[in-house]
Amino acid sequence: MANIGRSILPAHDANIRPGFEISSRIAGVGTTPMRKVIALLLLAVLPCSQLFAWGAKGHRIVGDIARSRLTPTTRQNLIALLGNDDLATISTWEDEVRRDRPESYGWHFVDIPKDAAGFSDERDCYRPDERRPSSKEDHQNCVVDRITFFEKVLADKSKSQSERVEALKWVVHFVGDIHQPMHAINEGRGGNDIHVSEFGSPQCGNNACNLHYEWDTGLLEHTGRSEQEYVAYLEQMIAAKKPQAGGTPADWANESLQLAKRVWLENGGAVDQTYYTANIGIVDERLAQAGLRLAAVLNDALGH
């Protein structure tokens, strides 16, 4: 779902919003505990450029759910633009290029105050910051506005192919990001500054565990499901429960804000089996909704 966007560097850097994920689907590793051990070992040695936010797995799941719901016309236009219709593959492009695109730092989330009733474009999408020069001129510096902006670019046939392809990649990623609850709350930098224990351990790889990471990756990985298994599970859930899939990016941000308040932990809190059992259903629903809504956005932009 992130920051999964807020960013992916060590939590001690106060100017960076960390959040990271390593796929634990490694050949020959069949049990959940071993998968997590291998994932954490990789986390300790891989450079930050190889780490992603919802987690790479979460973003790919969203892309897979959306792909199966594209209309024939949308699929045809998508293939004409991209050369294929593989949304999962492009879903993590934004996290891979973020260091080369500093202006995109704030596009992955929206900092809504915890005590606010909901999203305010004027308050939440213009945040000039001396450390980030581009933010002084960017009045669409949040994930809500950027989904709308890039959807328009994607739909505009007067734009170049390269502009529309890049817009497609932003849209695919950001629709996932906005459904991760910690991407819509400013408290503790979206939970990055809220240190927690993960099933008894304070460490997640080389970094102290934090609430944002748990929602990007920790809860999802604790299921032990591979990407393909998770997609199959969510498809069954969608068929049975038919989760709400309409609304606007502002609506989706407000949903995430209310969920973030609901699942919030204070500093020193525990992500344990009780917390997991109570909240994994929210992870499932948000991944499913993100996939359904991404399909709707693409069908609207490319379905004509």
Side-chain angles (χ1 to χ4, degrees):
M1 27 198 141
N3 272 244
I4 62 201
R6 292 222 174 199
S7 192
I8 42 182
L9 296 180
H12 60 264
D13 186 340
N15 297 330
I16 301 295
R17 296 180 183 253
F20 38 82
E21 193 268 356
I22 294 292
S23 174
S24 60
R25 294 185 292 110
I26 300 172
V29 180
T31 65
T32 299
M34 184 56 70
R35 284 175 176 175
K36 294 186 75 174
V37 168
I38 298 298
L40 291 173
L41 287 173
L42 288 173
L43 184 63
V45 299
L46 288 177
C48 288
S49 62
Q50 292 177 259
L51 309 179
F52 306 98
W54 243 144
K57 183 188 290 185
H59 277 295
R60 290 181 62 86
I61 288 168
V62 171
D64 288 335
I65 295 292
R67 182 184 188 184
S68 65
R69 289 167 172 80
L70 301 179
T71 67
T73 301
T74 299
R75 192 179 306 278
Q76 180 180 352
N77 287 329
L78 179 62
I79 292 172
L81 273 178
L82 193 64
N84 59 67
D85 63 350
D86 189 353
L87 299 177
T89 295
I90 64 172
S91 67
T92 59
W93 170 83
E94 291 73 11
D95 286 323
E96 296 164 18
V97 302
R98 189 179 311 182
R99 288 186 173 183
D100 299 321
R101 302 291 297 272
E103 75 278 12
S104 72
Y105 169 81
W107 299 354
H108 293 253
F109 55 90
V110 56
D111 272 342
I112 306 174
K114 187 180 180 184
D115 59 356
F119 168 73
S120 163
D121 190 83
E122 181 179 1
R123 179 193 64 215
D124 302 329
C125 294
Y126 179 57
R127 305 188 309 280
D129 185 340
E130 292 295 331
R131 298 167 300 180
R132 305 181 189 283
S134 63
S135 68
K136 297 178 182 180
E137 306 297 329
D138 189 352
H139 288 258
Q140 296 178 307
N141 193 21
C142 72
V143 68
V144 175
D145 284 1
R146 284 293 157 178
I147 291 172
T148 301
F149 176 85
F150 285 115
E151 181 184 358
K152 290 178 180 178
V153 175
L154 176 60
D156 187 350
K157 294 183 179 179
S158 70
K159 299 293 185 182
S160 69
Q161 181 170 351
S162 62
E163 288 176 305
R164 295 180 74 200
V165 168
E166 183 167 293
L168 168 67
K169 293 176 179 180
W170 290 122
V171 167
V172 170
H173 186 85
F174 291 157
V175 173
D177 277 344
I178 201 171
H179 284 81
Q180 206 272 57
M182 298 300 153
H183 280 242
I185 190 168
N186 75 343
E187 189 82 1
R189 295 188 310 128
N192 281 302
D193 291 338
I194 304 302
H195 297 293
V196 299
S197 61
E198 181 190 60
F199 301 101
S201 173
Q203 288 294 119
C204 293
N206 285 338
N207 298 300
C209 298
N210 66 69
L211 186 59
H212 190 104
Y213 166 78
E214 295 304 327
W215 279 87
D216 268 351
T217 298
L219 295 174
L220 190 153
E221 284 299 325
H222 192 65
T223 67
R225 297 188 186 102
S226 68
E227 176 188 334
Q228 291 78 10
E229 290 167 341
Y230 223 123
V231 171
Y233 169 76
L234 291 181
E235 290 289 4
Q236 292 178 341
M237 188 197 82
I238 291 168
K241 296 185 177 181
K242 297 178 173 56
Q244 198 276 331
T248 66
D251 294 330
W252 309 339
N254 284 330
E255 291 170 359
S256 284
L257 172 66
Q258 296 307 317
L259 289 170
K261 294 179 182 180
R262 175 175 156 189
V263 305
W264 193 259
L265 291 174
E266 296 303 328
N267 211 35
V271 174
D272 53 16
Q273 192 62 34
T274 299
Y275 185 89
Y276 167 83
T277 301
N279 295 309
I280 189 60
I282 295 174
V283 173
D284 297 340
E285 182 174 45
R286 296 307 277 171
L287 288 170
Q289 287 177 317
L292 296 173
R293 288 163 171 170
L294 174 58
V297 168
L298 297 180
N299 285 333
D300 186 56
L302 296 174
H304 305 290

